[in-house]
Amino acid sequence: MTSLWLDDAQVPARLRLTPGSRFDTVVIGGGITGLATALLLAENGVEVAVLEGRRVGAGTTGASTGKVSLLQGTRAQRIRRRHGEDTLRAYIDANRAGQQWLMRYCEERTVPVQHEAALTYAQSKAETSAVRAEFKAAQAVGMPVELLGEIDAPFPSYGAVRLEDQAQLDPMALLAALAVDIEGHTASIFESTLARNVRSGKDNDLIIETEHGDLIARTVVIATGTPILDRGGFFTRLTAQRSYLTAFAVTEPVPHEMFLSAGSPTRSLRYTPSPDGDVLLVGGNGHTVGRESSPRLRAQELIEWTRTWCPTAEPLHSWSAQDYLPVDELPYVGPLLPGRDNILVATGYAKWGLTNGVAAALAIAGRVTGKPPAWARTFASWRPSELRSLPAAVTSNVTVAHRLLSGWRRAAGSAPAALPAEGCGRVERHGLVPTAVCTVDGQTTEVSAICPHLGGILTWNDAERSWDCPLHGSRFGPDGTPIEGPATRPLQQFLQPYPSSQFTQL
């Protein structure tokens, strides 16, 4: 599954790390937060480098919808309910600062942007109360929203809340411009360099361990979706979700407003211009990573829904993205551990990374340079308000514990069988060892089915042909290569890949 944005992205490959280097600040992660942070620091004279485990934009940013909106589904009412109007106002201020910075940057660098209205709409009568609640929450903090009884859309709708003059863009075009600017400030970007750990060195230095050797910094910023370091326990405060997107060629007129449903199953729509006319993007059907029996069916359902309401729709690209939902609705931006400013984290954007991610970059750069924005404390990585979210955190982690135990029970009862068919995988017990067996591109691979993060038993993702952990969202390729954190180590490989055609398949 390849993102529309990545398919024709004009982003040159960059060299991997040469070990032994030293920088003032090292940013781990080549998405919107990492690159915006690096550029802001470089502009302030900080000697900075970026480490990216794959390619710039290969993570969440390059797979996002590209929406840049202050109206974010039903988030306003959820934040208001949990934290009150003052906190919601500060959250909107932070997102507005991120949005405004992004719009100025795109205008200066001629990154194409489409300015359109954003709508949170009711796809059934049951969702109209959520639409009204979102309208009231947004209106209470001064957002110029309007409540609509009807909308002009080709799919079922029962009213919406609307916010004018929001934006959408190609996230890879944005990242390409940021990367060029970073290097224009003599900062370095190292690709294909997976960071595995950060430890203390001499004289308050930090040593970043990577697959290609070590480098040294005074400050480290972890902008990797979910933090790759367990210190701070952020993996217990986040839920990893995957959702699906498909780009369609259509002959019908494509709506130019950005739509997001107020309930489930989620439906997110926008258009993107192309030389052959407008392309329709439809996303949604999210689920917790590793806990869906067939992600492929989730992706297919989106295509079927789109064809129901746009009969001429022909899929061009299908892909998915991983996002992290915080237990108390607000992002975490600040020290990895309380009182320690040498390792900073940014995570928990709840699918709104283009505004929250830039806001996080502004907050981190302000913290490093001694000029934090007034709203930054609302995003604090350690805040008393989390006590209100303790029941939600307990529920989430009880579910994780259940998944851990049930995964091991299933693995214990799974005996070896015939080889999986092409594109299929399963967990079976080889002796006492849970083993992940899959067949991809005619090659069968056997690797450990145990996630190296905290020992969860992996599940097969039939949409992306990957091994996914149902505990905290780590993902691995068929050969065990790490794709997504918090795990940074590969799965143990038991056998070298062998041609599946030599054996009988299911």
Side-chain angles (χ1 to χ4, degrees), residues 7 22 35 37 45 62 112 131 239 259 267 306 310 315 332 338 394 440:
D7 187 56
R22 175 186 288 270
L35 295 193
T37 300
V131 165
T239 299
F259 296 90
R267 296 291 181 260
T306 305
C310 298
Y332 302 113
V394 169
V440 173

Side-chain angles (χ1 to χ4, degrees), residues 265-283:
T266 302
R267 296 291 181 260
S268 174
L269 298 93
R270 61 159 286 193
Y271 81 96
T272 186
S274 81
D276 299 321
D278 291 341
V279 172
L280 174 66
L281 270 61
V282 180

Side-chain angles (χ1 to χ4, degrees), residues 253-266:
V254 175
H256 272 212
E257 294 174 313
M258 298 180 290
F259 296 90
L260 182 59
S261 63
S264 296
T266 302

Side-chain angles (χ1 to χ4, degrees), residues 16-232:
R16 70 185 197 184
L17 173 72
T18 300
S21 303
R22 175 186 288 270
F23 300 92
D24 294 336
T25 299
V26 168
V27 178
I28 302 174
I32 183 61
T33 303
L35 295 193
T37 300
L39 179 58
L40 289 166
L41 291 175
E43 289 176 338
N44 280 275
V46 178
E47 187 181 15
V48 64
V50 177
L51 300 182
E52 167 53 45
R54 291 180 285 166
R55 296 285 308 281
V56 164
T60 299
T61 305
S64 72
T65 62
K67 294 181 180 180
V68 189
S69 176
L70 302 186
L71 182 64
Q72 302 174 352
T74 57
R75 282 190 56 67
Q77 62 189 277
R78 296 201 305 271
I79 292 172
R80 184 194 195 194
R81 189 182 307 123
R82 183 71 61 87
H83 299 284
E85 281 183 16
D86 288 344
T87 297
L88 172 58
R89 186 174 289 105
Y91 175 83
I92 296 299
D93 287 345
N95 277 254
R96 184 179 291 110
Q99 184 189 60
Q100 290 174 347
W101 186 93
L102 207 52
M103 293 301 97
R104 285 194 302 270
Y105 182 84
C106 289
E107 183 177 5
E108 292 168 0
R109 300 303 187 274
T110 63
V111 176
V113 174
Q114 298 84 50
H115 293 272
E116 305 292 350
L119 287 85
T120 297
Y121 78 97
Q123 56 187 340
S124 67
K125 291 182 179 179
E127 293 179 12
T128 56
S129 59
V131 165
R132 288 194 296 269
E134 192 66 14
F135 170 74
K136 291 178 181 177
Q139 191 179 50
V141 294
M143 293 173 64
V145 290
E146 56 180 325
L147 187 63
L148 307 176
E150 297 180 354
I151 62 174
D152 183 15
F155 44 83
S157 59
Y158 296 82
V161 55
R162 186 174 190 267
L163 181 62
E164 284 281 2
D165 196 28
Q166 301 307 289
Q168 59 180 32
L169 47 72
D170 175 343
M172 286 306 299
L174 170 63
L175 294 185
L178 286 168
V180 168
D181 267 1
I182 290 167
E183 292 173 329
H185 284 79
T186 68
S188 301
I189 300 175
F190 301 107
E191 292 186 326
S192 302
T193 301
L194 182 67
R196 288 183 167 151
N197 191 26
V198 180
R199 56 185 169 85
S200 298
K202 296 179 180 179
D203 301 322
N204 295 319
D205 282 341
L206 294 171
I207 300 172
I208 302 97
E209 301 174 5
T210 83
E211 59 184 326
H212 303 308
D214 298 346
L215 71 161
I216 299 171
R218 303 293 287 183
T219 303
V220 171
V221 177
I222 301 176
T224 52
T226 185
I228 60 169
L229 302 181
D230 286 348
R231 306 191 290 275

